[in-house]
Amino acid sequence: MLDSPSLKQTEYAFAVHPLHNPSRLFELFNPLMEYLNAHIPEARFRLEASRDYSSYDQKLADASVEFALPNPYQTVTAIKSGHYRVFAKMGDDHNFRGIILVRKDSGIRKVTDLKGKTISYPAPTALAATMMPQYYLYQHGLNIKTDVNNIYVGSQESSIMNVLHGESDAGATWPPPWELLAQENPELKDKLEVKWQTDSLPNNGLIARSDVPQRLITQVQRLLSEMHTTPQGREILQTIYLSRFEIADDATYQPVKDFLENFRQKIRIPEEE
């Protein structure tokens, strides 16, 4: 990679984890790439979507993209690999929590009512939308491995719609995709309810590959962390259900490491699924 004082026109892949299906992801996050391109003309940022969590995880394992916005679990894994480091994160940590949806007419009132039922999740490695809800259910009396049928359906939207269509008795997701999907499908809030929610953890990270020029990383960090101070920036942030980005580093994700250690001991090992 270039390390000279002046960057030449270079394209950088910016991979956002499957918060949404690829077409929705492009609709929501491509304006962010355009914002970076407008303010850093000597570099070009290209949004890279992934068809599912496993393909996204593989991109980080292969270090095939220069920049990424992974979930906190993927952030911790990327740090451990030595290929990436954290330079910023999404703000609004209060929103980084799991929610569990049921149909209002389901008759499900307490966690143990889910025994023998089917629960949908986006993917085994989704932190807020899978691991945190599973840990919550464990804390409230369910054996995740034997008491329920866990199905991993590929996306946040699918996890929600499975509940609506009766293909699962409960579905796990997290607030941003639930609110965005409900805005487009008002029947969701008519027929579904958020029955339980978890505690929160640090929100999604922003990472750069170790060979990306530090000067470029600093430019991206400054632009993102100051977006909320401009009208254009606030408009883009509002579209992705976020109030601001924040400067962060690897140490920011220690609470996530602690959670994952407990999760692996008591629930399952995500890397093996």
Side-chain angles (χ1 to χ4, degrees):
M1 296 296 293
L2 298 170
D3 58 1
S4 60
S6 59
L7 295 170
K8 295 179 181 178
Q9 177 72 32
T10 306
E11 184 174 86
Y12 295 88
F14 206 127
V16 178
H17 79 277
L19 286 154
H20 309 281
N21 63 55
S23 60
R24 170 61 68 84
L25 196 78
F26 187 85
E27 176 187 341
L28 297 179
F29 280 87
N30 198 56
L32 185 63
M33 299 300 105
E34 294 174 348
Y35 186 84
L36 292 176
N37 289 333
H39 290 83
I40 310 177
E42 64 268 32
R44 177 161 184 81
F45 298 88
R46 173 181 55 82
L47 179 65
E48 182 158 330
S50 302
R51 66 180 181 275
D52 53 32
Y53 277 78
S54 60
S55 61
Y56 184 84
D57 292 342
Q58 192 60 52
K59 290 175 183 177
L60 294 186
D62 295 341
S64 64
V65 294
E66 291 86 6
F67 288 90
L69 197 164
N71 73 29
Y73 164 75
Q74 295 160 331
T75 299
V76 168
T77 302
I79 294 170
K80 187 176 180 181
S81 74
H83 297 306
Y84 293 95
R85 62 186 180 86
V86 175
F87 65 90
K89 62 181 283 292
M90 297 176 83
D92 303 335
D93 287 351
H94 63 278
N95 270 334
F96 196 83
R97 64 185 190 277
I99 57 176
I100 301 170
L101 305 165
V102 300
R103 287 185 63 96
K104 290 181 179 179
D105 60 6
S106 68
I108 295 170
R109 299 290 177 263
K110 56 186 186 296
V111 167
T112 50
D113 289 340
L114 291 172
K115 285 188 176 181
K117 306 290 188 182
T118 296
I119 305 175
S120 55
Y121 313 89
T125 57
L127 181 56
T130 298
M131 287 185 257
M132 292 166 70
Q134 288 182 340
Y135 194 78
Y136 178 93
L137 296 175
Y138 157 78
Q139 289 178 308
H140 291 81
L142 278 189
N143 185 316
I144 292 299
K145 291 184 176 180
T146 61
D147 287 344
V148 295
N149 176 35
N150 301 300
I151 58 171
Y152 301 102
V153 295
S155 72
Q156 308 285 346
E157 288 89 348
S158 292
S159 183
I160 296 166
M161 297 307 288
N162 266 259
V163 187
L164 180 68
H165 295 150
E167 295 168 5
S168 62
D169 300 285
T173 183
W174 68 302
W178 162 243
E179 294 296 337
L180 286 167
L181 196 59
Q183 286 175 17
E184 294 184 353
N185 302 273
E187 67 170 328
L188 285 173
K189 288 194 174 180
D190 290 337
K191 296 182 177 180
L192 306 184
E193 63 177 325
V194 177
K195 195 66 181 176
W196 301 287
Q197 57 184 319
T198 74
D199 294 334
S200 61
L201 282 172
N203 209 339
N204 299 307
L206 285 156
I207 60 176
R209 203 168 63 191
S210 56
D211 59 350
V212 174
Q214 180 57 49
R215 189 166 71 84
L216 179 61
I217 296 172
T218 301
Q219 285 178 286
V220 174
Q221 180 189 60
R222 179 182 58 79
L223 279 170
L224 293 181
S225 65
E226 295 177 358
M227 280 185 73
H228 65 286
T229 66
T230 70
Q232 181 190 12
R234 286 193 295 272
E235 183 177 348
I236 294 171
L237 290 168
Q238 184 177 10
T239 301
I240 59 176
Y241 199 71
L242 187 70
S243 71
R244 64 188 297 165
F245 287 103
E246 302 169 343
I247 294 174
D249 57 25
D250 292 0
T252 304
Y253 287 87
Q254 186 59 47
V256 177
K257 294 179 182 178
D258 296 339
F259 171 86
L260 290 170
E261 182 177 350
N262 280 327
F263 186 84
R264 291 186 181 103
Q265 289 176 357
K266 297 171 180 175
I267 312 295
R268 60 184 175 84
I269 301 175
E271 298 85 350
E272 295 181 354
E273 300 191 29

